[in-house]
């Protein structure tokens, strides 16, 4: 799996939840710029971000990362 796939999966999770980047960033406790950089692949995605996204979306962590 490449980082392109991960960032696309993260974006899809956010969009499936009907959230803006700002709203997701607020839920993760980070700035919108920091979140945008996650989606753009300019910042490493840490496990705590994945865990929180999974919790918020009701998906497994693997589903957030792998997109299935």
């Amino acid at each position: 799996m490449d980082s392109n796939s991960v960032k696309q999966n993260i974006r899809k999770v956010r969009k499936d939840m009907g959230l803006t980047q700002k709203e997701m960033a607020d839920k993760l406790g980070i700035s919108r710029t920091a979140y945008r950089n996650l989606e753009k692949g300019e910042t490493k995605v840490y496990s705590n971000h994945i865990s929180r996204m999974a919790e918020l979306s009701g998906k497994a962590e693997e589903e957030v990362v792998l997109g299935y």
Side-chain angles (χ1 to χ4, degrees), residues 11-44:
R11 182 178 301 119
K12 183 179 181 325
V13 167
R14 176 183 58 81
K15 289 187 175 209
D16 287 350
M17 293 174 65
L19 299 176
T20 65
Q21 287 183 341
K22 171 77 171 113
E23 291 167 332
M24 180 61 95
D26 288 345
K27 290 182 179 297
L28 295 175
I30 59 177
S31 70
R32 186 192 64 80
T33 302
Y35 181 79
R36 184 188 70 219
N37 289 339
L38 291 175
E39 278 195 6
K40 289 173 72 177
E42 295 178 357
T43 303
K44 290 183 180 180

